[in-house]
Amino acid sequence: MKTNSDIIIAHNKPKAETFLSKIENKTPLFIATIATTETGKIPGLSAAGQNPDFTDFTPPADAELLLLGKCKSIQGVPITPEGIPTPGLITMSALKLADIPVMIANAGCKVKPQVPFIELGGNSGRDIRTGNSVDNVEEVIERAKTAGQQLAKTSDYLVIGESIPGGTTTALGLLSALGVNAEGKVSSTLPLNPHTLKTDVVRLGLKAAGEKFGSLNNNPIKAVSCVGDPMMPALAGLTIGAADQVPVLLAGGTQMTAVLALINALNPKTLGNIAVGTTRWVTNDATSDIKGIINQFCKVPILAADLNFGNSAFPGLQIYETGLVKEGVGAGGASIAAMAKMGDAINKEVLLKAIESNYKTLMSMK
């Protein structure tokens, strides 16, 4: 089968082609790992939600959107302050088009979603500036490993995404604690990436924990506990549990580099069966460097969905082309999975039509 031309090989072509050959014509299980953190409420860090306190509702609303096609925790869809819809709209549209099953994993949400979910036993995260941001990291990893082992038996491969506002800042926190140079390299939901603010927040967190750059490179559990978020141990555990049996596509942007760094510290042999699946908006982003982060510690390939909303009839979607949002809720990975399963029957034009149709329906519910 010919590789869908709207799947871009963005990094490590030989490994990317091998990974694609494993997933073409196959049906995955999509898992959305949801969590919240007080870090996401720091003004100026995140565009996830109309105001910082609203971010507690964004992950559960994203989960509901994926399973129900509408949100229960909020009216309409989760939107940025500028009125841009959640990338969960892209994910939901891709998964429905390709008839890919969805499961929600709760890694630690303040507000529980009003849909069925797997409970991994995590709590919502604290502000990383405290230097003590995540509870029971080891326990969540072990529970998630068990879940990953079982879920891997149900499908050809897993696609695992995330929804956690403020997650690129906590990603910088974990990467820094593990000795990976990511300052100025993590992405942002905002077109003007607040790198200085993120760096300041992370440095305050490390200082409060009595740590510094790279000082926890041999203690990944403590690194997450100090300056990470609850999504990380859950997603890493699910991946480690599953990747011995089936391929795993980590669906996300630079947040997934922190998950990879955690997996690399816990169980590096599983990295051989993993790829990152993201969007063109992330791989082409001049304000971040997903390849530069990954290259420092592993050879995991990167795939990107060649999405383009420039010709959309809706200004709320067109604005994605200006650098707002870029990725989230596994949008890129879900699009790649849909294209890999259905071949040329699902390309970026077909996907855009479905996204526009679902967007129109959802906006009419507001």
Side-chain angles (χ1 to χ4, degrees):
M1 175 181 164
K2 179 171 72 73
T3 297
N4 188 302
S5 58
D6 290 335
I7 300 174
I8 300 165
I9 292 177
H11 180 58
N12 200 329
K13 188 176 181 187
K15 284 183 180 288
E17 287 176 340
T18 300
F19 189 91
L20 269 175
S21 71
K22 292 179 189 174
I23 69 169
E24 282 172 343
N25 278 335
K26 301 289 176 61
T27 300
L29 171 66
F30 183 90
I31 305 170
T33 312
I34 59 171
T36 44
T37 166
E38 294 300 298
T39 308
K41 296 179 184 177
I42 298 171
L45 274 189
S46 177
Q50 287 175 295
N51 62 61
D53 287 335
F54 194 76
T55 60
D56 286 341
F57 293 90
T58 302
D62 280 331
E64 292 155 5
L65 181 62
L66 295 187
L67 283 181
L68 305 175
K70 61 182 181 181
C71 303
K72 283 190 160 186
S73 296
I74 61 166
Q75 280 194 305
V77 293
I79 58 172
T80 71
E82 294 81 12
I84 317 308
T86 170
L89 173 69
I90 301 170
T91 310
M92 181 264 280
S93 303
L95 298 173
K96 278 176 70 175
L97 260 183
D99 196 24
I100 292 169
V102 182
M103 193 159 275
I104 308 302
N106 178 30
C109 279
K110 251 190 183 163
V111 177
K112 300 289 191 286
Q114 297 178 45
V115 289
F117 58 87
I118 299 171
E119 177 56 71
L120 296 176
N123 298 326
S124 181
R126 290 176 289 277
D127 188 325
I128 63 169
R129 292 175 297 187
T130 63
N132 177 26
S133 58
V134 187
D135 296 327
N136 60 323
V137 172
E138 200 156 14
E139 182 187 341
V140 170
I141 289 170
E142 290 308 314
R143 286 187 183 191
K145 275 187 198 171
T146 302
Q149 286 163 353
Q150 298 307 311
L151 293 170
K153 300 178 196 299
T154 69
S155 57
D156 295 326
Y157 70 104
L158 299 188
V159 183
I160 314 180
E162 56 68 36
S163 176
I164 180 163
T168 58
T169 303
T170 48
L172 176 60
L174 179 60
L175 290 162
S176 299
L178 295 176
V180 179
N181 176 16
E183 288 188 2
K185 294 185 172 77
V186 293
S187 61
S188 173
T189 46
L190 302 160
L192 290 172
N193 197 329
H195 284 305
T196 304
L197 177 57
K198 291 179 183 183
T199 298
D200 289 347
V201 166
V202 167
R203 288 179 179 176
L204 285 169
L206 287 170
K207 187 177 179 183
E211 302 295 340
K212 58 181 190 293
F213 178 85
S215 65
L216 293 172
N217 64 337
N218 291 318
N219 194 344
I221 303 295
K222 187 176 180 186
V224 176
S225 301
C226 292
V227 287
D229 67 48
M231 175 276 293
M232 296 163 173
L235 212 150
L238 286 166
T239 303
I240 291 167
D244 278 345
Q245 302 171 66
V246 296
V248 178
L249 184 64
L250 296 183
T254 53
Q255 283 169 268
M256 291 303 165
T257 66
V259 174
L260 281 176
L262 181 55
I263 294 167
N264 185 54
L266 294 168
N267 192 339
K269 73 178 195 297
T270 59
L271 293 173
N273 210 17
I274 298 171
V276 172
T278 190
T279 65
R280 172 184 66 87
W281 299 308
V282 170
T283 55
N284 287 359
D285 178 25
T287 75
S288 67
D289 185 6
I290 188 169
K291 300 173 207 173
I293 299 172
I294 290 176
N295 260 342
Q296 292 177 56
F297 59 88
C298 72
K299 301 294 182 193
V300 168
I302 304 170
L303 304 168
D306 189 16
L307 303 175
N308 192 319
F309 293 172
N311 293 324
S312 174
F314 297 96
L317 295 176
Q318 287 173 15
I319 207 162
Y320 266 74
E321 295 300 325
T322 68
L324 261 163
V325 185
K326 301 180 191 73
E327 172 62 279
V329 204
S335 301
I336 290 163
M339 292 169 179
K341 182 187 177 192
M342 304 300 291
D344 288 333
I346 295 180
N347 58 25
K348 62 186 171 192
E349 287 83 15
V350 171
L351 187 49
L352 177 57
K353 283 193 176 73
I355 292 164
E356 288 181 319
S357 172
N358 291 325
Y359 182 51
K360 191 175 177 183
T361 301
L362 286 162
M363 295 314 277
S364 70
M365 293 179 187
K366 287 192 77 172

